[in-house]
Amino acid sequence: IIPAAIINFAILTSLAIVLEIPAAHFFAAGCFGVAYLVLFHVLAGHISWENLRVTSLVNTCLDITSGQALIGAFGIFLVVSDWLQHRSRRNESYAYLTSGCLVAVVSLAMIVGFGPVLGNELQSISLAFLIYSIGALWIAWRRRVAAFTWIASSLTLFSMASLFAWNMHYSFPWQTGFLAFASLSAAAAI
């Protein structure tokens, strides 16, 4: 799957550049995301390089570690988007930004769905929310889009609440998270 996804990524990227079809970058990014995720599971030892239907790739990928691994793909797409924007390739940059945001939504859905909902690896959830919050702030700052500021604010709140709930084991985690978030917001506003 990895070589096929990489070849598809290369072909779609080439077609997007040669034929000047910015939307093809979106599909190329999807192929890269699949290759990235499968390569992560191969390197982590969850599946073997040559998987002769011994281990289900779907069952392996439907896990909280997949959501955590996609944080790296989100970062790569953001860097590529900024690089393309710097080179005045606005439409291509937008395609990779959209891909990055889609990866972030899928990743957060997997982290929440396979984390707190199922009670798995709760200690790492606050860090994932914090990283995505920083990414949303980066997008808000670089693109001047106010909606990403609100998204970053919400993700920071969830990061703090999950930190107090599952890492520090406070008795009133959400209330403490709201109080800490309000204090942080007030300090940032001053």
Side-chain angles (χ1 to χ4, degrees), residues 157-158 160-161 164 172-184:
L157 173 63
F158 286 124
M160 292 181 124
F164 291 125
F172 298 104
W174 282 98
Q175 294 86 341
T176 308
F178 279 123
L179 180 62
F181 177 74
S183 301
L184 180 68

Side-chain angles (χ1 to χ4, degrees), residues 41 46-47 51 54-66 110 114:
H41 284 294
H46 301 151
I47 55 174
N51 188 13
V54 175
T55 307
S56 171
L57 185 59
V58 173
N59 289 340
T60 302
C61 288
L62 291 178
D63 188 43
I64 190 171
T65 57
S66 294
M110 293 178 89
F114 298 116

Side-chain angles (χ1 to χ4, degrees), residues 7-183:
I7 290 169
N8 286 339
F9 167 72
I11 290 170
L12 287 170
T13 302
S14 300
L15 288 173
I17 292 169
V18 172
L19 299 177
E20 297 179 3
I21 306 172
H25 285 288
F26 179 75
F27 296 107
C31 293
F32 179 82
V34 169
Y36 178 89
L37 186 60
V38 174
L39 182 63
F40 165 78
H41 284 294
V42 168
L43 294 177
H46 301 151
I47 55 174
S48 63
W49 180 257
E50 292 183 17
N51 188 13
L52 303 174
R53 296 187 182 173
V54 175
T55 307
S56 171
L57 185 59
V58 173
N59 289 340
T60 302
C61 288
L62 291 178
D63 188 43
I64 190 171
T65 57
S66 294
Q68 294 165 342
L70 287 173
I71 294 172
F74 169 73
I76 291 169
F77 290 150
L78 276 187
V79 168
V80 170
S81 175
D82 274 358
W83 180 74
L84 287 169
Q85 184 181 20
H86 180 70
R87 296 186 49 106
S88 299
R89 300 192 67 139
R90 190 177 192 109
N91 292 334
E92 292 87 347
S93 173
Y94 182 73
Y96 280 99
L97 179 64
T98 305
S99 299
C101 291
L102 183 62
V103 164
V105 168
V106 169
S107 173
L108 284 170
M110 293 178 89
I111 288 170
V112 170
F114 298 116
V117 173
L118 297 179
N120 297 325
E121 298 184 38
L122 300 176
Q123 292 76 20
S124 63
I125 292 172
S126 61
L127 181 61
F129 277 118
L130 181 63
I131 291 170
Y132 280 121
S133 173
I134 292 168
L137 279 175
W138 178 262
I139 295 169
W141 176 62
R142 297 286 289 175
R143 303 291 176 137
R144 308 276 189 239
V145 179
F148 281 100
T149 306
W150 288 102
I151 293 169
S153 180
S154 301
L155 290 171
T156 303
L157 173 63
F158 286 124
S159 176
M160 292 181 124
S162 61
L163 174 72
F164 291 125
W166 298 308
N167 292 42
M168 297 182 164
H169 306 290
Y170 276 47
S171 56
F172 298 104
W174 282 98
Q175 294 86 341
T176 308
F178 279 123
L179 180 62
F181 177 74
S183 301

